[in-house]
mmCIF file of all heavy atoms in Angstrom:
data_model
loop_
_atom_site.group_PDB
_atom_site.id
_atom_site.type_symbol
_atom_site.label_atom_id
_atom_site.label_comp_id
_atom_site.label_asym_id
_atom_site.label_seq_id
_atom_site.Cartn_x
_atom_site.Cartn_y
_atom_site.Cartn_z
ATOM 1 N N THR A 1 76.641 -49.962 -21.487
ATOM 2 C CA THR A 1 76.223 -51.264 -21.795
ATOM 3 C C THR A 1 77.167 -51.855 -22.869
ATOM 4 O O THR A 1 77.357 -51.269 -23.920
ATOM 5 C CB THR A 1 74.810 -51.224 -22.379
ATOM 6 O OG1 THR A 1 73.905 -50.614 -21.439
ATOM 7 C CG2 THR A 1 74.289 -52.628 -22.706
ATOM 8 N N LEU A 2 77.840 -52.961 -22.535
ATOM 9 C CA LEU A 2 78.836 -53.465 -23.451
ATOM 10 C C LEU A 2 78.327 -54.024 -24.756
ATOM 11 O O LEU A 2 78.992 -54.015 -25.780
ATOM 12 C CB LEU A 2 79.705 -54.521 -22.763
ATOM 13 C CG LEU A 2 80.608 -53.969 -21.604
ATOM 14 C CD1 LEU A 2 81.402 -55.125 -20.991
ATOM 15 C CD2 LEU A 2 81.545 -52.902 -22.183
ATOM 16 N N ASP A 3 77.094 -54.477 -24.756
ATOM 17 C CA ASP A 3 76.519 -55.080 -25.942
ATOM 18 C C ASP A 3 76.456 -54.119 -27.076
ATOM 19 O O ASP A 3 76.747 -54.409 -28.226
ATOM 20 C CB ASP A 3 75.077 -55.545 -25.634
ATOM 21 C CG ASP A 3 74.425 -56.223 -26.791
ATOM 22 O OD1 ASP A 3 75.117 -56.896 -27.577
ATOM 23 O OD2 ASP A 3 73.157 -56.115 -26.959
ATOM 24 N N ASN A 4 76.137 -52.850 -26.793
ATOM 25 C CA ASN A 4 76.017 -51.873 -27.929
ATOM 26 C C ASN A 4 76.691 -50.525 -27.622
ATOM 27 O O ASN A 4 76.576 -49.605 -28.442
ATOM 28 C CB ASN A 4 74.501 -51.630 -28.224
ATOM 29 C CG ASN A 4 73.688 -51.206 -26.994
ATOM 30 O OD1 ASN A 4 74.308 -50.685 -26.013
ATOM 31 N ND2 ASN A 4 72.419 -51.419 -27.037
ATOM 32 N N GLY A 5 77.354 -50.346 -26.488
ATOM 33 C CA GLY A 5 78.038 -49.130 -26.182
ATOM 34 C C GLY A 5 77.137 -47.966 -25.731
ATOM 35 O O GLY A 5 77.547 -46.827 -25.641
ATOM 36 N N THR A 6 75.883 -48.263 -25.434
ATOM 37 C CA THR A 6 74.961 -47.234 -24.948
ATOM 38 C C THR A 6 75.448 -46.645 -23.611
ATOM 39 O O THR A 6 75.783 -47.438 -22.712
ATOM 40 C CB THR A 6 73.529 -47.785 -24.773
ATOM 41 O OG1 THR A 6 73.094 -48.271 -26.058
ATOM 42 C CG2 THR A 6 72.589 -46.735 -24.279
ATOM 43 N N ILE A 7 75.463 -45.347 -23.517
ATOM 44 C CA ILE A 7 75.947 -44.674 -22.295
ATOM 45 C C ILE A 7 74.768 -44.058 -21.543
ATOM 46 O O ILE A 7 73.940 -43.383 -22.094
ATOM 47 C CB ILE A 7 76.933 -43.527 -22.634
ATOM 48 C CG1 ILE A 7 78.144 -44.066 -23.395
ATOM 49 C CG2 ILE A 7 77.380 -42.771 -21.379
ATOM 50 C CD1 ILE A 7 79.019 -42.989 -23.955
ATOM 51 N N SER A 8 74.688 -44.456 -20.254
ATOM 52 C CA SER A 8 73.694 -43.870 -19.344
ATOM 53 C C SER A 8 74.471 -42.961 -18.385
ATOM 54 O O SER A 8 75.246 -43.452 -17.563
ATOM 55 C CB SER A 8 72.937 -44.956 -18.599
ATOM 56 O OG SER A 8 72.209 -45.784 -19.456
ATOM 57 N N ARG A 9 74.257 -41.670 -18.497
ATOM 58 C CA ARG A 9 75.012 -40.716 -17.679
ATOM 59 C C ARG A 9 74.185 -40.523 -16.391
ATOM 60 O O ARG A 9 72.992 -40.527 -16.420
ATOM 61 C CB ARG A 9 75.233 -39.428 -18.402
ATOM 62 C CG ARG A 9 76.172 -39.622 -19.548
ATOM 63 C CD ARG A 9 76.201 -38.386 -20.485
ATOM 64 N NE ARG A 9 77.327 -38.529 -21.414
ATOM 65 C CZ ARG A 9 77.227 -39.195 -22.607
ATOM 66 N NH1 ARG A 9 76.119 -39.786 -22.890
ATOM 67 N NH2 ARG A 9 78.272 -39.246 -23.382
ATOM 68 N N SER A 10 74.888 -40.309 -15.280
ATOM 69 C CA SER A 10 74.221 -40.095 -14.050
ATOM 70 C C SER A 10 74.938 -39.080 -13.179
ATOM 71 O O SER A 10 76.091 -38.757 -13.391
ATOM 72 C CB SER A 10 74.075 -41.421 -13.268
ATOM 73 O OG SER A 10 75.343 -41.951 -12.953
ATOM 74 N N GLY A 11 74.227 -38.627 -12.181
ATOM 75 C CA GLY A 11 74.746 -37.644 -11.249
ATOM 76 C C GLY A 11 74.316 -36.230 -11.768
ATOM 77 O O GLY A 11 73.842 -36.062 -12.805
ATOM 78 N N THR A 12 74.407 -35.303 -10.838
ATOM 79 C CA THR A 12 74.040 -33.924 -11.117
ATOM 80 C C THR A 12 75.004 -33.264 -12.118
ATOM 81 O O THR A 12 76.187 -33.423 -11.972
ATOM 82 C CB THR A 12 73.950 -33.089 -9.859
ATOM 83 O OG1 THR A 12 73.068 -33.742 -8.926
ATOM 84 C CG2 THR A 12 73.492 -31.661 -10.038
ATOM 85 N N ALA A 13 74.476 -32.612 -13.106
ATOM 86 C CA ALA A 13 75.298 -31.901 -14.113
ATOM 87 C C ALA A 13 76.115 -30.847 -13.309
ATOM 88 O O ALA A 13 75.617 -30.143 -12.496
ATOM 89 C CB ALA A 13 74.450 -31.193 -15.165
ATOM 90 N N THR A 14 77.417 -30.833 -13.592
ATOM 91 C CA THR A 14 78.328 -29.941 -12.892
ATOM 92 C C THR A 14 79.190 -29.094 -13.865
ATOM 93 O O THR A 14 79.245 -29.375 -15.051
ATOM 94 C CB THR A 14 79.305 -30.755 -11.989
ATOM 95 O OG1 THR A 14 80.079 -31.599 -12.805
ATOM 96 C CG2 THR A 14 78.540 -31.521 -10.953
ATOM 97 N N THR A 15 79.769 -28.135 -13.279
ATOM 98 C CA THR A 15 80.735 -27.253 -13.997
ATOM 99 C C THR A 15 82.123 -27.852 -13.850
ATOM 100 O O THR A 15 82.430 -28.367 -12.759
ATOM 101 C CB THR A 15 80.696 -25.815 -13.407
ATOM 102 O OG1 THR A 15 79.381 -25.285 -13.646
ATOM 103 C CG2 THR A 15 81.716 -24.937 -14.031
ATOM 104 N N VAL A 16 82.915 -27.804 -14.863
ATOM 105 C CA VAL A 16 84.308 -28.315 -14.791
ATOM 106 C C VAL A 16 85.257 -27.164 -14.835
ATOM 107 O O VAL A 16 85.258 -26.391 -15.817
ATOM 108 C CB VAL A 16 84.565 -29.312 -15.994
ATOM 109 C CG1 VAL A 16 85.973 -29.795 -16.006
ATOM 110 C CG2 VAL A 16 83.635 -30.502 -15.938
ATOM 111 N N ALA A 17 86.071 -27.038 -13.820
ATOM 112 C CA ALA A 17 87.053 -25.971 -13.739
ATOM 113 C C ALA A 17 88.134 -26.255 -14.785
ATOM 114 O O ALA A 17 88.603 -27.370 -14.909
ATOM 115 C CB ALA A 17 87.654 -25.815 -12.369
ATOM 116 N N VAL A 18 88.562 -25.196 -15.457
ATOM 117 C CA VAL A 18 89.680 -25.309 -16.387
ATOM 118 C C VAL A 18 90.882 -24.724 -15.614
ATOM 119 O O VAL A 18 90.863 -23.590 -15.216
ATOM 120 C CB VAL A 18 89.438 -24.534 -17.681
ATOM 121 C CG1 VAL A 18 90.655 -24.574 -18.579
ATOM 122 C CG2 VAL A 18 88.193 -25.084 -18.384
ATOM 123 N N THR A 19 91.909 -25.569 -15.472
ATOM 124 C CA THR A 19 93.097 -25.077 -14.736
ATOM 125 C C THR A 19 94.227 -24.855 -15.667
ATOM 126 O O THR A 19 94.404 -25.589 -16.655
ATOM 127 C CB THR A 19 93.518 -26.136 -13.648
ATOM 128 O OG1 THR A 19 93.718 -27.360 -14.269
ATOM 129 C CG2 THR A 19 92.421 -26.301 -12.579
ATOM 130 N N PHE A 20 95.005 -23.867 -15.363
ATOM 131 C CA PHE A 20 96.180 -23.497 -16.159
ATOM 132 C C PHE A 20 97.422 -23.656 -15.272
ATOM 133 O O PHE A 20 97.517 -22.981 -14.261
ATOM 134 C CB PHE A 20 96.051 -22.077 -16.711
ATOM 135 C CG PHE A 20 94.943 -21.894 -17.692
ATOM 136 C CD1 PHE A 20 93.643 -21.640 -17.212
ATOM 137 C CD2 PHE A 20 95.196 -21.994 -19.020
ATOM 138 C CE1 PHE A 20 92.605 -21.468 -18.095
ATOM 139 C CE2 PHE A 20 94.107 -21.885 -19.938
ATOM 140 C CZ PHE A 20 92.810 -21.605 -19.489
ATOM 141 N N PRO A 21 98.325 -24.566 -15.631
ATOM 142 C CA PRO A 21 99.469 -24.865 -14.794
ATOM 143 C C PRO A 21 100.521 -23.781 -14.739
ATOM 144 O O PRO A 21 101.216 -23.584 -13.756
ATOM 145 C CB PRO A 21 100.103 -26.141 -15.376
ATOM 146 C CG PRO A 21 99.582 -26.206 -16.722
ATOM 147 C CD PRO A 21 98.296 -25.477 -16.844
ATOM 148 N N THR A 22 100.610 -22.888 -15.740
ATOM 149 C CA THR A 22 101.605 -21.827 -15.729
ATOM 150 C C THR A 22 100.988 -20.538 -16.269
ATOM 151 O O THR A 22 100.056 -20.513 -17.143
ATOM 152 C CB THR A 22 102.804 -22.150 -16.664
ATOM 153 O OG1 THR A 22 102.410 -22.393 -17.972
ATOM 154 C CG2 THR A 22 103.538 -23.384 -16.100
ATOM 155 N N PHE A 23 101.537 -19.404 -15.759
ATOM 156 C CA PHE A 23 101.109 -18.067 -16.225
ATOM 157 C C PHE A 23 102.373 -17.336 -16.574
ATOM 158 O O PHE A 23 103.484 -17.815 -16.470
ATOM 159 C CB PHE A 23 100.370 -17.315 -15.082
ATOM 160 C CG PHE A 23 99.042 -17.986 -14.710
ATOM 161 C CD1 PHE A 23 98.923 -18.750 -13.589
ATOM 162 C CD2 PHE A 23 97.968 -17.854 -15.509
ATOM 163 C CE1 PHE A 23 97.737 -19.341 -13.192
ATOM 164 C CE2 PHE A 23 96.698 -18.439 -15.173
ATOM 165 C CZ PHE A 23 96.653 -19.201 -14.052
ATOM 166 N N GLY A 24 102.178 -16.084 -16.964
ATOM 167 C CA GLY A 24 103.341 -15.238 -17.266
ATOM 168 C C GLY A 24 103.770 -15.221 -18.694
ATOM 169 O O GLY A 24 104.875 -14.760 -19.018
ATOM 170 N N SER A 25 102.928 -15.655 -19.606
ATOM 171 C CA SER A 25 103.228 -15.596 -21.038
ATOM 172 C C SER A 25 101.938 -15.088 -21.760
ATOM 173 O O SER A 25 100.874 -15.026 -21.173
ATOM 174 C CB SER A 25 103.700 -16.886 -21.589
ATOM 175 O OG SER A 25 102.717 -17.896 -21.462
ATOM 176 N N GLN A 26 102.103 -14.757 -23.019
ATOM 177 C CA GLN A 26 100.953 -14.232 -23.762
ATOM 178 C C GLN A 26 99.960 -15.339 -24.211
ATOM 179 O O GLN A 26 98.829 -15.041 -24.479
ATOM 180 C CB GLN A 26 101.464 -13.432 -24.964
ATOM 181 C CG GLN A 26 102.214 -12.207 -24.565
ATOM 182 C CD GLN A 26 102.789 -11.420 -25.727
ATOM 183 O OE1 GLN A 26 102.664 -11.844 -26.853
ATOM 184 N NE2 GLN A 26 103.422 -10.286 -25.450
ATOM 185 N N THR A 27 100.435 -16.554 -24.261
ATOM 186 C CA THR A 27 99.588 -17.683 -24.575
ATOM 187 C C THR A 27 99.751 -18.741 -23.551
ATOM 188 O O THR A 27 100.883 -19.151 -23.150
ATOM 189 C CB THR A 27 99.938 -18.280 -25.999
ATOM 190 O OG1 THR A 27 99.844 -17.265 -26.985
ATOM 191 C CG2 THR A 27 99.088 -19.465 -26.342
ATOM 192 N N ILE A 28 98.613 -19.176 -22.968
ATOM 193 C CA ILE A 28 98.681 -20.236 -21.960
ATOM 194 C C ILE A 28 97.710 -21.379 -22.357
ATOM 195 O O ILE A 28 96.698 -21.176 -23.005
ATOM 196 C CB ILE A 28 98.299 -19.725 -20.527
ATOM 197 C CG1 ILE A 28 96.887 -19.126 -20.543
ATOM 198 C CG2 ILE A 28 99.323 -18.706 -20.063
ATOM 199 C CD1 ILE A 28 96.367 -18.746 -19.154
ATOM 200 N N THR A 29 98.060 -22.571 -21.942
ATOM 201 C CA THR A 29 97.299 -23.752 -22.278
ATOM 202 C C THR A 29 96.890 -24.459 -21.011
ATOM 203 O O THR A 29 97.748 -24.724 -20.164
ATOM 204 C CB THR A 29 98.075 -24.746 -23.186
ATOM 205 O OG1 THR A 29 98.415 -24.034 -24.409
ATOM 206 C CG2 THR A 29 97.235 -25.951 -23.530
#
């Protein structure tokens, strides 16, 4: 709602996959 910024969330709560673009090091982001 633009008047006050109130957020109405919708849809089924889901899991978000965390993807890592590169492997092969001791620290990955």
Side-chain angles (χ1 to χ4, degrees):
T1 304
L2 290 180
D3 183 35
N4 56 21
T6 299
I7 301 170
S8 298
R9 293 169 170 85
S10 62
T12 304
T14 61
T15 297
V16 176
V18 177
T19 58
F20 294 86
T22 59
F23 295 103
S25 62
Q26 294 177 357
T27 302
I28 58 173
T29 300

